[in-house]
Amino acid sequence: MANISFQCLPFDQLTLRQLYDILALRIDVFVVEQNCPFHDADRKDFVAWHCVGYDTEGDLVAYTRLFDVDLSFEGFTSIGRVATSQKVRGQGAGQKLMTFSIEQCQKLYGTHPIKIGAQKYLLRFYESFGFQSTGEEYLEDGIPHVIMIRPA
């Protein structure tokens, strides 16, 4: 089981090192690994809270960003840009990350349903946290996604 220390910070409290680490991890996972060139700097980072998970060696190995009601989906809070480093995959890092992210979402924004746009191949992973597929599927940058909601 990966030993990860988590923090959740608003954009303006991120250090330059943390911001660099976040962008590097998101590029590694979403652009390089998934061979999916897209404009990651979507300006939504400014209004998000950022969950960062560092391992004992000081490497960022887990990340999400959280949004208050109506900022990403109308009527819902949201968790996005869910990423884990290859370094910790298969060691429970994703489970720890999602558990922490859901807790932080509720702590920051109260008890609201959480809506996500999940990559379809991760449907079962998100279902294990109480997310339910709406059946609404779409392609984002050539990758099949499905809208999922975790009831309040």
Side-chain angles (χ1 to χ4, degrees):
M1 188 66 75
N3 188 4
I4 302 171
S5 298
F6 288 99
Q7 279 186 288
C8 191
L9 302 163
F11 183 83
D12 289 334
Q13 288 182 21
L14 294 171
T15 66
L16 288 176
R17 165 72 190 262
Q18 287 171 321
L19 179 59
Y20 182 91
D21 291 345
I22 288 166
L23 295 174
L25 180 61
R26 287 179 3 187
I27 289 168
D28 285 348
V29 172
F30 301 119
V31 178
V32 178
E33 286 178 29
Q34 297 180 357
N35 192 25
C36 184
F38 77 108
H39 200 287
D40 184 41
D42 61 5
R43 301 191 129 340
K44 291 182 179 181
D45 289 316
F46 301 125
V47 296
W49 280 70
H50 302 267
C51 296
V52 292
Y54 284 87
D55 68 9
T56 54
E57 296 171 2
D59 294 327
L60 179 68
V61 294
Y63 170 81
T64 60
R65 65 181 184 180
L66 312 178
F67 293 100
D68 200 353
V69 175
D70 298 333
L71 291 180
S72 191
F73 294 104
E74 190 173 328
F76 297 89
T77 58
S78 185
I79 300 171
R81 295 287 199 273
V82 180
T84 57
S85 167
Q86 284 186 344
K87 181 179 182 181
V88 295
R89 293 207 192 122
Q91 300 176 39
Q95 287 84 358
K96 286 182 178 182
L97 173 64
M98 282 306 296
T99 299
F100 180 78
S101 298
I102 291 166
E103 289 169 357
Q104 292 301 303
C105 219
Q106 292 171 339
K107 179 179 166 187
L108 291 166
Y109 309 130
T111 306
H112 296 282
I114 303 170
K115 189 172 187 176
I116 61 172
Q119 292 185 1
K120 196 171 176 185
Y121 83 96
L122 291 168
L123 191 70
R124 299 241 185 283
F125 172 75
Y126 290 113
E127 285 175 341
S128 73
F129 296 98
F131 286 90
Q132 301 163 354
S133 172
T134 64
E136 182 182 339
E137 297 183 17
Y138 62 99
L139 276 181
E140 184 174 311
D141 301 312
I143 299 171
H145 283 68
V146 63
I147 296 293
M148 301 185 80
I149 296 172
R150 184 179 191 273

